[in-house]
Amino acid sequence: MTTTAPETARKPATMAQALTRALHDAMAADPSVHVMGEDVGTLGGVFRVTDGLAREFGEDRCSDTPLAEAGILGTAVGMAMYGLRPVVEMQFDAFAYPAFEQLISHVARMRNRTRGAVPMPLTMRVPYGGGIGGVEHHSDSSEAYYLATPGIQVVTPATVADAYGLLRAAIASDDPVVFLEPKRLYWSKDDWSPDAPTQVAPIGRAEIRRPGANATLITYGPSLPVCMEAAEAARAEGWDLEVVDLRSLMPFDDDTVCASVRRTGRAVIVHESNGFGGPGGEIAARITERCFHHLEAPVLRVAGFDIPYPPPMLERHHLPGVDRILDTVARLQWESDWTEGCGA
């Protein structure tokens, strides 16, 4: 359940500003919180999310690092083992790949390896996804790699309020969190109060962003605004679509997702990550296992193509858009004998 600040205290704020405030407030509240990464200090990060932190808290707590992602994360592991709460920024999604050995072999396993004796309060922030005209290694949707690694939580905000609330929750967690920040939503705005931040649902909970009756769009991060636009456009076809924002990919909120699908009887999963081996396959399996007797049609997916990320001039074809979502919704067997009378 979310609560809001008084209307008079709220004003337009960007997701990037909410993230900066979350880091600031976490550092102010807890001296064990340290921010580190490439250009996060004096420059304030390539997206300026860490702007001002080194100036206020000092370079010992907001530190520039060499261009060595495995070294950055390995250093953070040692810091966490000795009681600090490191927040690592990987400058771009695909830049994190050299750090996978540290993530998979140590970050994800430390608590289990030590029978719970050594927690791993480490947050790894990763700007991810396309839509900004980035070149190779700057627009990957890498969430499937993290989801395939037991031992880490994976969250991604799609709203200004969630950017603040989920990042504070990630930093406060005693277990590691991969925090995926949709780059194309950094400058999205919403009414929000930095002095009285909106209280949001905890990690592990999904939110229904738009109620509907005929089918459920299940999405997260950068695809949420696209799904909201598609749901509004679908009204012209006579479809009333519900939109579920997952927010937390691991832990996964089966209860909210399945309750929605059982109500609507149809589901489409939308994400930028490639379809083969992407998160949509696991989500479709979970829905089918839990909601089979409520389904009016197979669970369908709208995803990025099964290719390396394309050049900027072609990314509009690769990324899920309103037309592709509506074309997929149209395939949900609206005219079958079983569903006669439903839909347009």
Side-chain angles (χ1 to χ4, degrees), residues 136-305:
E136 185 183 18
H137 287 96
H138 292 70
S139 298
D140 280 17
S141 294
S142 47
E143 56 267 36
Y145 301 133
Y146 303 115
L147 293 176
T149 305
I152 54 177
Q153 302 169 89
V154 183
V155 302
T156 177
T159 68
V160 171
D162 264 351
Y164 180 91
L166 286 176
L167 185 53
R168 290 297 305 271
I171 296 171
S173 174
D174 284 336
D175 290 308
V177 179
V178 172
F179 191 88
L180 298 172
E181 300 172 2
K183 290 192 293 286
R184 65 162 137 164
L185 298 185
Y186 270 142
W187 314 121
S188 62
K189 290 185 177 181
D190 199 0
D191 287 342
W192 182 76
S193 171
D195 297 321
T198 307
Q199 298 298 308
V200 302
I203 292 174
R205 286 275 303 279
E207 289 276 12
I208 295 175
R209 300 298 185 191
R210 184 187 190 281
N214 300 141
T216 302
L217 301 181
I218 301 159
T219 190
Y220 55 87
S223 295
L224 177 63
V226 184
C227 286
M228 296 295 283
E229 184 180 353
E232 285 303 308
R235 296 172 61 185
E237 302 294 331
W239 300 319
D240 183 15
L241 305 183
E242 185 152 296
V243 179
V244 174
D245 175 10
L246 293 175
R247 305 171 70 250
S248 172
L249 303 181
M250 175 55 66
F252 187 84
D253 186 355
D254 288 301
D255 291 343
T256 298
V257 170
C258 290
S260 174
V261 175
R262 287 170 186 144
R263 281 196 305 274
T264 65
R266 297 175 175 82
V268 175
I269 303 153
V270 182
H271 57 61
E272 292 186 8
S273 178
N274 52 293
F276 190 91
E282 172 63 23
I283 297 169
R286 300 176 80 87
I287 292 171
T288 303
E289 289 169 354
R290 292 163 174 78
C291 308
F292 182 78
H293 294 291
H294 298 266
L295 290 172
E296 305 282 2
V299 179
L300 300 180
R301 292 172 288 167
V302 182
F305 300 134

Side-chain angles (χ1 to χ4, degrees), residues 53-66:
L53 298 181
R55 186 167 56 251
E56 179 162 351
F57 296 101
E59 295 182 358
D60 287 342
R61 293 189 60 199
C62 183
S63 307
D64 285 326
T65 66

Side-chain angles (χ1 to χ4, degrees), residues 3 32 103 117 233 271-272 312 327:
T3 59
S32 71
L103 185 79
H271 57 61
E272 292 186 8
D327 287 346

Side-chain angles (χ1 to χ4, degrees), residues 305 307 309-319:
F305 300 134
I307 57 172
Y309 200 82
M313 72 285 289
L314 297 176
E315 71 174 351
R316 70 183 186 279
H317 303 294
H318 176 76
L319 298 173

